[in-house]
Amino acid sequence: KPSTSKKAEDNLHLHFFLVSCLRMVTRKRRLPRPSTVAAVSALVFCAASAPPTCGGFQPAMLPRRRTMPLHVVSVDAGWARCSGSDAVSCRPAASGGATTVATRSRRRTTGREDVRSGIPLFSAAVSRTDSGTTNDAVLGDDVPGTSRERADETMATIATMSVSRAIDLLSRYTHNRQLESEIVRLGRKGRTDDALGLYRAVWTIELLRSRLDDVNKKKEAGDSPPILAAEQAGFVKGCKIRPTTRLMNSAIDACARARPARQDTAFAIFDHATSKYADGGPPGESLERDANGNTRRRERKKGGALSPNVYTFGSLLASCARNGDVARSKEILELLESDDAYYPDVHPNGVIYSTVISACERRDGGPDVETALDVLNRGMKKLQGGGDGGRPAASSMMGVVGFNAALSAVARDARWEMAVQLLGEMILHSSPGGGDGPPSRSEPSYGPLESIRDKIAARPILRVLKDHPDIPVPRPDGVTFGTVLAACERSERWRTLLDVAKAATVYGTGLDGMALTSALHACQQLGLADEALHYLEAMKGLGERDGGGGTASSPGPAAARSTNGRKREGARQALRGPDGVAYRLAISACARSPDGRWRDGIRLLDEMDELASSLESAGRERAASDVRPDVVAYTAAIAGCSVAGEYARAIRLISRMRGEGVRPNVVTFSAVINACATATSNLARAHEERSGGGGGFDGLAAAATTLDEARVPMDRALRLLAAMRSEGSSVRPNVVTYNAAIRACAEGLNPGGAFDLLGRLRDDGLRPTIVTYGSLMTACERVGDIEGASRVFRAIRAEDGMDANEIVYGAAISCCRKAGEAERALLLLRKMIGEGLSPNTATFNTVVAALAEACGTEGGGGAGAADSGGSAPYWEKALAVYRVMT
């Protein structure tokens, strides 16, 4: 133990000399580095000696791979603040600048560190938007992967990084442009911690540079020992990288691109960079108190504070927008718009207004549509040149991005009518030359949107155009139309959606892949096969239109990314051609078409197979797997066969699915059984027309072989259902499957089989639906089984507690007519009306026909013919029913 401070300091310098020599030897001969214990022994000398000896100890002199982490707590003149579980108590440091270190063990905190309550320019408290667990690793640790630390701590730590770590990070860059590009690249890749580490290294070197100058001045007078090793001091003096506004903007942009956006960190970076004090604190008091209560003057930055520009505030607003912070976004906007602004050289541009509108669209709890439209109108007025005498704007008009952001807010709030109206106003007021010139004074035609012209005149959304009609409005682009299409799709306004898609074609605007997918969805819902095939062909031309040299579903090379937003790691890329979803929607549209377009559906299925094979041969396995037909595509094609009654083709598609390794599900099997039922019905109708029979299979009764032929599809359906119910089956039938099988029995004149299926349905633990009873009643109607119809009514009310609907009553009335029970048909009609149901024209016609047929049977149609109960003649009752109809 040294007896004097001078001896201790000499021993310490000797130890550092030996360690430095040993490190030089180990570098050349690749020997193990000196242990941490040997180097940390120097800290023991400091703790046992007088405080001034601490000034010579530097963390950069320790081995790079150490087992005991050292954390630079502060680089301060006059006072050293220590921290850590093993740190010595705080004590005065040397009069000159000194770097104080303290050992501490690693820890992981579960909560967020405290952040500054707010920057001076914004009164709102800093919102806790940064999420995730803070990794309190030591920034000086050079072990890969251990230097990642969340930057949402108090931003006084921006310039708190070990000297060796800062030098190691910046040694590969020679000028600011290189570093700015690297920070931007890391931010777009989602490596926010790495980007902020570079930014903190710049401020660490800058702070050491300014204090090194002060120490060198005092060293000339002999007042202070050096604070850095010669090699480190040389790097600090020779480093040409300086903190700049562009560098600050790059760091804030990296925070805004993080997922989730690090809003608190972005504002803290802004606070630190624009403060005139070295500690990054707010302006105001120039004096502060230390840990012992003594007053000292706050140190100013040697280079002064950075001046933010419009890009700085744009990046800050981007972090607010991604977190939906409407209140903070509005506060920044009002600050930039005010006449006595703190930053008179920063004028809001279209990007500023568009970002605020985007914050309204992403607000938690739902979009703030009113605020978004208010900011849109304000921006249009301000950007024209002040409008109300305020500060000048940076550009002459609001860009289409701002309108698209407002439309997105409206679309997310499911206000499809407002979205369509705003699109119509853009079409009406936009310049035909691309949006850069004055608005057109012609009266353009809305095309399919002509019906909303009166509504636009009565209550316009762009109300600022009433007092300022010369304000230019940009032309709507593909994103504009796509956003409106999304609003209509979310509200299930399929006809309006197709009208907007047609308006885009009339207006000369091409739709992107997502918009065309929305149009295909509308065609699928409405069963419009021709329109679906048209939009599918339009999607195939996306790659050629965008100049990508290939599409997402073609073997050509993938198109390059076109926007900065798509450069972010994991960002969803634009569709360059039809994908599996588009093909499935088109196949389903063909299946639902009333024109029998099932062949087009199978053709698209074959096209998907060919496209997947070509993509796989080109080495694009991922794209091939997306386009290859799956169970949804096959089921949609089988559903088309079901509508047409092509049960044989449907069964072949099942075999094809299994051959390609696609497992059918219960929906697939139900569609096949339904195809068998439709085939049975079609055969019945064809034989009825050929034989001239009056109802059902009446024309087949004399020809048993013909009846058996018509029941072949029914038998196939029942065998398929039995296979599904077997123990070895992996797909169990549901109520939809049973309903299809009961319908097959109904069309095959097999009411007994239909009632047997009802029992099996209950045995499987399923509950019949009203559709089940409708099919059962149809089975009774086909053969005129009155007792069976009564049995169905009893089961509906007594066993399941349901009420019969119009379909059940209609089938029962037709059954009564076939059985010659006119009075019972009339009674069912009255009961149907009494229960609040609405008979359709076919039901009324059936009752009138039954009464007319009974009238001819009883008395040849005479006026005095009456029923056995002495009631009015049948023709008078038929006339009464007719009056009810009219």
Side-chain angles (χ1 to χ4, degrees), residues 158 167 222 239 249 376 421 541 772 817 884:
I158 283 185
I167 292 176
C239 183
N249 295 347
L376 179 64
Q421 180 180 345
T772 310
R817 178 199 172 189
V884 174

Side-chain angles (χ1 to χ4, degrees), residues 10-51:
D10 292 341
N11 291 339
L12 183 64
H13 290 168
L14 177 61
H15 178 82
F16 287 151
F17 174 74
L18 295 176
V19 171
S20 300
C21 293
L22 186 56
R23 291 184 64 180
M24 294 175 62
V25 173
T26 56
R27 285 198 188 100
K28 292 184 179 180
R29 298 189 178 183
R30 298 182 180 179
L31 297 176
R33 297 183 182 273
S35 66
T36 303
V37 176
V40 172
S41 62
L43 183 60
V44 178
F45 284 105
C46 289
S49 305

Side-chain angles (χ1 to χ4, degrees), residues 417-435:
E417 292 179 318
M418 184 179 291
V420 174
Q421 180 180 345
L422 183 54
L423 172 63
E425 293 186 30
M426 290 181 66
I427 295 175
L428 176 63
H429 299 289
S430 61
S431 170

Side-chain angles (χ1 to χ4, degrees), residues 221-243:
D223 296 335
S224 176
I227 66 171
L228 293 176
E231 182 181 356
Q232 295 172 339
F235 179 85
V236 172
K237 291 181 180 179
C239 183
K240 297 181 180 180
I241 298 177
R242 298 289 191 275

